Amino acid sequence: MPFTPPVRDIRFALDELAGLADVLKLPGFEEITPDLVDAILEENARFVAEVVGPLNDKAERQPPVCENGSVTTTPGYAQAFRQYAEGGWQGLQHPQRWGGQGLPHLVAAPAGENIQAASLAFSLCPMLTDGVIEALLTVGSEPQRKQFVPNLIGGKWTGTMNLTEPQAGSDLALISTRAVRQDDGSYRLTGQKIFITYGEHDLAENIIHLVLARTPDAPAGVKGISLFIVPKFLVDDAGNLGKRNDVWCASLEHKLGIHGSPTAVLLYGSGKGEVGEGAVGYLVGEQNRGLEYMFIMMNAARYSVGQQGIGVSERATQQALAYARERIQGRAVEGSAGPVSIAHHPDVQRMLLTMRALTDAARAVSYVAAAAHDKGTHHTDAEVRSRNRALYEYLVPVVKGFSTESAVEVASLGVQVHGGMGFIEETGAAQHYRDARILPIYEGTTAIQANDLVGRKTLRDGGATAYAIVAAMRDTLKAVEAEVARADEADRAGLRLLRDNLDQAIQAYEHAVGFILENASSNVRAVFAGSVPYLMLAGTVLGGWQMARAALACRRKLAARADADPFYRHKLATALFYGAHILPRALALSSAVRSSDVADACAAQADIA
Amino acid sequence: MPFTPPVRDIRFALDELAGLADVLKLPGFEEITPDLVDAILEENARFVAEVVGPLNDKAERQPPVCENGSVTTTPGYAQAFRQYAEGGWQGLQHPQRWGGQGLPHLVAAPAGENIQAASLAFSLCPMLTDGVIEALLTVGSEPQRKQFVPNLIGGKWTGTMNLTEPQAGSDLALISTRAVRQDDGSYRLTGQKIFITYGEHDLAENIIHLVLARTPDAPAGVKGISLFIVPKFLVDDAGNLGKRNDVWCASLEHKLGIHGSPTAVLLYGSGKGEVGEGAVGYLVGEQNRGLEYMFIMMNAARYSVGQQGIGVSERATQQALAYARERIQGRAVEGSAGPVSIAHHPDVQRMLLTMRALTDAARAVSYVAAAAHDKGTHHTDAEVRSRNRALYEYLVPVVKGFSTESAVEVASLGVQVHGGMGFIEETGAAQHYRDARILPIYEGTTAIQANDLVGRKTLRDGGATAYAIVAAMRDTLKAVEAEVARADEADRAGLRLLRDNLDQAIQAYEHAVGFILENASSNVRAVFAGSVPYLMLAGTVLGGWQMARAALACRRKLAARADADPFYRHKLATALFYGAHILPRALALSSAVRSSDVADACAAQADIA
């Protein structure tokens, strides 16, 4: 079914929760007026609905194929990508100096989210290209930037990230691709990379691979990995294409989902091509600092994958809701003259509201993160920058882990709402369930996000950022408390439950943070055995915090006008539902974190390893 | 990868939790000795591992095809079904008088579970045939039984259930297939049925369809539905095949999973075949009581689908564990000389133990239910029979709902353990994730199970069965309490946490039951808005109860022998992990049940219906 970008929900989260107005006041964004943001979001919605959305299920019938090293993508993809490039969508968040639009992340994020929602498989190519641009801008030399970045931003070329090898997935220390320096200062690469998203395709005239490899004299482990640019076609200084490089697609993977996205096995240095043996590559930055550089791409990509989770959730929710309103089946439990639409049944409503509440909460948290990114880079006050940077750093693994795990749950509920029809591929609900499953895996599994959240983001500053979040949440709690007193009977029960459950959830989160800080040195295994429950706890509670802020904002809007806009009623109901049905999960998650010493002891006895 | 039936885990649950010894003492089972049970389980394991297991992924490459109304199944299926029939597996639980083995359900259940684990798609044909046998034995006439049952039990023919029509899924009141009585007492059926599992195939020479249809004078709604036998080939009294009946496969569905199982659209009365127009059918039992009869099949099938959930969970767990032990990636968090298998990493252990604990718990609950079934039908004391029947009736929706929802979670974790490899279809983990998704849908969605659990199983007896379960759980809690005092340091923390969490969980369950009883008449929508959380709560707590009993049994076994069998250490650790990491979910679920009035009020405001 067609996808409609949820422009109004996005605007609500931008304005009321993430503070778009404040972000637009930051230096560097003076030219970005609210009207311009509106225009961008409207144009984005049109493009997404008309051009990208219709691609989504096409690849199910005609997936990309690889023949003799060349990949032909699904019909329609190439044209859509041209329109994407011409529309300037690749450049949204990139600097104007290099051809981009220089928009705040807070504006680029929803635009990207809609494209990802419309076709996850399609959106991966721009997303990885973003990462390559970001890495080259940060650590590439000036000539490298000039040579590659404008054409990447312009959508003439695309980019890829080449990390994984058969023996080296999450553990990049095991990478064995070799790079040998030549007399002219370039390198020759040999090796095999797998799981390379859009590693080969026909959407653009050139592909710029960023590749992790080892030089012959490099130390073992992660400290001996360097980063190289390997273009599919060599490029002269003026950007003209030259010889075909020695990097070849050996095959495409047969995957559970995102069928439209060609996942390539790439061979470096198989001796084909026009450059002799070995793929020609160019060192980026300094030798042996490749992993550090790659994390620049990874961090941007992790945030984007979190947005993908929100996108898939949004699309699955729209589809389930439309089906539920249409499908007539069964009488109302409270009695009805005849059969009603299944959207009337209490459990279908529970599922749909769970889907919507998780989507809203994940979106709100991710926009708050994007705003923190913008303030962390553009604010004039160094202390504000530093505080926001810490918040953003804390939120990235939460956005990535929570939004994507939620997406799996939401997509699964989407199938369930459809009943037997959900299991039939043509219905389309199953595709979201299949597509969503990669999200908690790629760009770092949920466990890797959780380890980052525990190790670098919670322990390193002694819990300072986590406790600052607790304090901010308690402020919101007080505001909810005050609102309970103001509420009439219709909203009071829901607000009171939200207050009670948020209070409990904040405590549960605080206790979990305390457990991690106390046990990190004495029982590191226990702390990491509880890291994923901690991440999910953080997502659940922070989501609840934002839903509480959403509830307050809606109450303000509704109080301000007698002719109350039903939009705010709906939003308020979704936020209160989150408080009633989702927030209590915090209790179970916190309990799991705090009993991870027992869980780890069990694992030692349970014949696992 | 090959599947190994978990014979020892099954024996443990049978002997220590479900009380196999007591069941074998029931009248009618005198000839079933423990040695015979051993022999059956061993032979079952051999057959499953050698014959059924290898079928599992074959259909991914060569799914069944329908041409001109005939379905050719995946190569190997037909031969395996012949071996299944010759081995007498179809008759395990059916009466000896009709060619079955007359085994207790408690023995038939694990045998079925293993076949379902080995190949879910294959096992559906026997499962539905079981349902047809059960229905004919219960409500068929003596001539109908003689005509059909021995060949069904012998595996010469197979059976199907024909309920669903395009407009009539969960709501069978909307069925419109017509059955018109003929002068000879037979009927002619016309209409279309969809989602008919093994509705057409080449595994057996005949297919006996049980079909819900309406006679011309039938009242509207569910009270006007009758049940008919429609054989693919007509059958004379001696069981010889006659003319091809007018029931035809129009197409097979393109499904998310269980690709080996042909899901047919069946046309009744399209005028092909050798009988003129309309499919020849025979009324089963009385007119207009078809739905009631169909529930006989449904109840048996619901229990079996619960077993499928356990089977898929077991298989996914075995596969993830094998991969995790083999895959070398990353150093140990506590430090290691080099990279270790991922089975050493705390979060991978958490995932694997979650998978195993959910599987063990669901299996234990389902065997307890099977034992209750056997006692409910075979015990000499009418009061014991009645009590056990009530327990079994309560447990069927829990077994169906909880085991299958858990299976989706377990299969999803199985993909996650595999990382990127899990997303590649050839790995096999994704198949479980796809296959599992149908389980909470067919034979009544989780919501329908939950409504049954609330309406018929909890409210109808005023909570008597639920509170009897609470009392029994409290007895176990006392025993755990006593065991904490006896435990040495190694087990004490785990047992204490199990006690605390079980105590909390029992209370949470009791409060939820109380909420349902109190609100059923005043706010029926709220009660049903919390019905699925209530079902999941019941499964979680009852699973915890059985895991507590398992822990106690393991402690007894370990105390009895100095040369402690490591099997009991592993089982104990799994049970304690359940107590630490899974049981706390009861808090969140109970909270959701008890706030369903707010949730329902939100739904009314949220623009869903």
Side-chain angles (χ1 to χ4, degrees), chain A residues 230-247:
Chain A
V230 180
K232 175 178 166 185
F233 290 97
L234 301 189
V235 176
D236 70 15
D237 291 343
N240 300 310
L241 298 193
K243 291 181 177 165
R244 179 66 167 87
N245 206 349
D246 191 12
V247 47

Side-chain angles (χ1 to χ4, degrees), chain B residues 242-253:
Chain B
K243 289 180 177 166
R244 179 67 166 85
N245 205 350
D246 191 11
V247 47
W248 293 92
C249 175
S251 60
L252 297 180
E253 303 289 358

Side-chain angles (χ1 to χ4, degrees), chain A residues 169 171 325 329-330 356 606-607, chain B residues 169 171 325 329-330 356 412 606-607:
Chain A
D171 186 357
R325 285 171 172 161
Q329 202 79 181
R356 195 192 263 172
D607 186 34
Chain B
D171 186 357
R325 284 171 173 162
Q329 203 79 179
R356 196 192 263 173
S412 183
D607 187 34

Side-chain angles (χ1 to χ4, degrees), chain A residues 25-36:
Chain A
K25 282 181 209 140
L26 293 171
F29 300 141
E30 294 85 353
E31 289 167 26
I32 324 285
T33 61
D35 284 354
L36 180 61

Side-chain angles (χ1 to χ4, degrees), chain B residues 198-444:
Chain B
Y198 282 92
E200 170 62 20
H201 62 76
D202 56 1
L203 305 187
E205 65 176 32
N206 203 4
I207 302 174
I208 311 306
H209 303 289
L210 283 189
V211 186
L212 290 183
R214 287 182 190 286
T215 54
D217 51 348
V222 292
K223 286 178 184 152
I225 298 170
S226 304
L227 182 64
F228 298 89
I229 300 168
V230 180
K232 175 177 167 186
F233 289 97
L234 301 189
V235 176
D236 70 15
D237 291 343
N240 300 309
L241 299 193
K243 289 180 177 166
R244 179 67 166 85
N245 205 350
D246 191 11
V247 47
W248 293 92
C249 175
S251 60
L252 297 180
E253 303 289 358
H254 175 216
K255 307 189 299 293
L256 171 62
I258 49 170
H259 289 154
S261 163
T263 303
V265 174
L266 290 187
L267 302 180
Y268 289 83
S270 60
K272 293 193 281 182
E274 303 164 341
V275 298
E277 246 177 68
V280 176
Y282 312 101
L283 182 68
V284 180
E286 291 171 35
Q287 221 169 288
N288 297 335
R289 292 181 62 186
L291 202 68
E292 178 190 326
Y293 301 154
M294 198 53 104
F295 268 100
I296 299 167
M297 298 178 66
M298 290 284 276
N299 248 331
R302 283 173 177 184
Y303 179 83
S304 294
V305 172
Q307 294 291 110
Q308 294 182 339
I310 299 160
V312 171
S313 296
E314 173 67 35
R315 186 153 199 176
T317 304
Q318 284 190 18
Q319 183 155 359
L321 187 58
Y323 181 82
R325 284 171 173 162
E326 201 173 78
R327 173 76 171 167
I328 307 294
Q329 203 79 179
R331 300 195 178 214
V333 61
E334 72 275 18
S336 62
V340 296
S341 82
I342 62 170
H344 278 91
H345 298 320
D347 190 64
V348 174
Q349 297 188 339
R350 178 192 65 83
M351 290 193 279
L352 291 169
L353 270 175
T354 301
M355 296 170 77
R356 196 192 263 173
L358 285 172
T359 308
D360 272 10
R363 177 182 290 127
V365 173
S366 87
Y367 290 1
V368 167
H373 180 278
D374 291 326
K375 288 183 220 158
T377 46
H378 285 69
H379 204 280
T380 49
D381 184 333
E383 194 276 327
V384 177
R385 278 204 306 278
S386 141
R387 185 157 34 86
N388 276 284
R389 241 185 332 243
L391 178 60
Y392 177 71
E393 290 291 323
Y394 186 93
L395 290 179
V396 166
V398 177
V399 167
K400 202 291 185 177
F402 179 69
S403 305
T404 61
E405 295 283 351
S406 293
V408 173
E409 176 180 351
V410 168
S412 183
L413 285 170
V415 174
Q416 189 72 16
V417 168
H418 284 79
M421 287 304 297
F423 205 65
I424 306 300
E425 283 287 1
E426 285 77 2
T427 307
Q431 187 189 342
H432 305 311
Y433 177 73
R434 291 188 285 96
D435 285 357
R437 197 64 201 73
I438 191 59
L439 301 177
I441 295 174
Y442 64 17
E443 304 300 340

Side-chain angles (χ1 to χ4, degrees), chain B residues 13 34 56 88 147 180 195 242 295 356 360 437 449 469 482 506 545:
Chain B
N56 194 44
Q147 199 177 8
V180 179
F195 295 170
F295 268 100
R356 196 192 263 173
D360 272 10
R437 197 64 201 73
Q449 307 303 321
I469 293 171
I506 295 171
W545 174 29

Side-chain angles (χ1 to χ4, degrees), chain B residues 441-454:
Chain B
I441 295 174
Y442 64 17
E443 304 300 340
T445 64
T446 305
I448 284 178
Q449 307 303 321
N451 290 353
D452 180 45
L453 183 66
V454 166

Side-chain angles (χ1 to χ4, degrees), chain A residues 117-135:
Chain A
S119 173
L120 182 58
F122 175 81
S123 76
L124 283 164
C125 187
M127 185 191 93
L128 288 160
T129 303
D130 269 341
V132 172
I133 294 165
E134 195 99 1

